[in-house]
Amino acid sequence: MNSPVSLKQQLLTSNSDLPPNLVALIDDVASACRNISALVTRGAMAGVLGDAGSENVQGEGQKKLDVISNDVFIDKLQWSGNLAGMASEEMDDMHPIPAAFTRGDYLITFDPLDGSSNIDVNGSVGTIFSIMQAPAGDVNNSSFLQPGNRQVCAGYCLYSSASMLVLTTGNGVDGFTLDVSSGEFLLTHADIRVPAETSEFSINAAYTRHWFAPVKRYIDEALLGSEGPRGRNFNMRWAGSMVGDVHRILMRGGVFMYPADKKLAADNKAGKLRLLYEASPMGMLMEQAGGLASTGNERILDIQPDSLHQRVPVIMGSATEVELVDSYHSEAS
Ligand code: AHM
Ligand code: MG
């Protein structure tokens, strides 16, 4: 029997062009995810459930584990010498690398605990991250405003029945399962490909009355099943955790949507999900697995960000389905 391939081994052997400091940074990210996984798994016993009693910059209530996971990332990564700055959902502004530590070549954006409303009900949650090159000179919030097509690595860690790290360095997508006995992430899902055409969608249907016409048309047609224009029956799943929902779609196909809607628009929000640490990294993973990621009107990876916590509509998954939703958007305009 072949011995299992570790994360580091796969990074070093599958893409020999990766700079050693990027490999080291990804290894540190894996280590942070391992710590968060342990906290999530111990749940109430670790005293990490419940509200933190604070709000993030977007006015959303923070869970204790949102704040703790953010601290885990900072503690694990800031001294490594590989980073020039860090930005996350839970911090109003970027976190500069303290002067006592060496400045590195990369920037990281992350959502330390995505889907955190699932924590207290023992549902799946995850960490999402995106790594890009740091520009020369001083680093500030604007240094992070790079389109997703400039990411050098994107990934997530899903904390569910097993913890899984799924990542890309621009050379396909690999999945690694955390072996709790050795503490190592081991390659279990090499070269993940999202099926091109499937019959499953993932959207929060509680917002149906707020949807714009193109999304309503796509879902209405899917719901008509074999009697409608799609000529086949569709299934629906919504975990309420982008990591859980997108992971399922990477594994077996389908389309994930958190689209623009009338309610979000009335609140001056282009979408709910954030570009730099949710939509962009998930978009890169989806494309690297052969799928597509769009707002309905443009490719997510081509959006030039204008602020750190910018929100965008998200439609991603199997290529044929995303193309269809896109075509309904162009017909409507
Ligand atoms: P969070 O980063 O504050 O956890 O919010 C993002 C989450 C996604 O994981 C999920 O797809 C979405 O919010 C669910 O939102 P809703 O409760 O509106 O369905
Ligand atoms: Mg999130």
Side-chain angles (χ1 to χ4, degrees), residues 183-264:
E184 284 227 66
F185 280 100
L186 301 176
L187 180 66
T188 47
H189 297 66
D191 196 18
I192 295 168
R193 305 297 296 167
V194 58
E197 199 172 342
T198 54
S199 304
E200 196 165 286
F201 60 84
S202 188
I203 189 168
N204 187 341
Y207 307 134
T208 304
R209 70 189 188 284
H210 305 308
W211 292 341
F212 290 115
V215 168
K216 189 166 180 326
R217 175 178 172 193
Y218 177 83
I219 299 296
D220 283 350
E221 289 180 357
L223 291 175
L224 288 171
S226 56
E227 292 138 48
R230 303 300 309 274
R232 62 183 202 268
N233 295 324
F234 279 72
N235 198 3
M236 191 279 286
R237 289 283 183 278
W238 181 254
S241 146
M242 186 191 200
V243 177
D245 284 316
V246 169
H247 182 73
R248 185 185 59 255
I249 284 164
L250 273 176
M251 293 292 115
R252 68 181 188 203
V255 64
F256 169 87
M257 295 198 258
Y258 208 117
D261 69 33
K262 292 172 203 161
K263 168 88 172 45
L264 289 164

Side-chain angles (χ1 to χ4, degrees), residues 65-118:
L65 211 47
D66 282 323
V67 178
I68 294 168
S69 306
N70 196 64
D71 290 346
V72 168
F73 253 66
I74 292 177
D75 290 346
K76 281 275 173 196
L77 299 180
Q78 66 172 355
W79 51 267
S80 68
N82 297 314
L83 283 174
M86 310 173 71
S88 99
E89 176 173 336
E90 308 306 338
M91 300 186 286
D92 299 7
D93 292 302
M94 65 151 288
H95 173 82
I97 301 304
F101 305 131
T102 311
R103 179 201 200 272
D105 295 333
Y106 297 102
L107 301 176
I108 189 166
T109 63
F110 55 102
D111 179 353
L113 205 73
D114 182 64
S116 51
S117 64
N118 276 2

Side-chain angles (χ1 to χ4, degrees), residues 314-327:
V314 172
I315 294 153
M316 61 171 67
S318 300
T320 322
E321 297 303 312
V322 176
E323 273 162 3
L324 186 63
V325 185
D326 280 354
S327 74

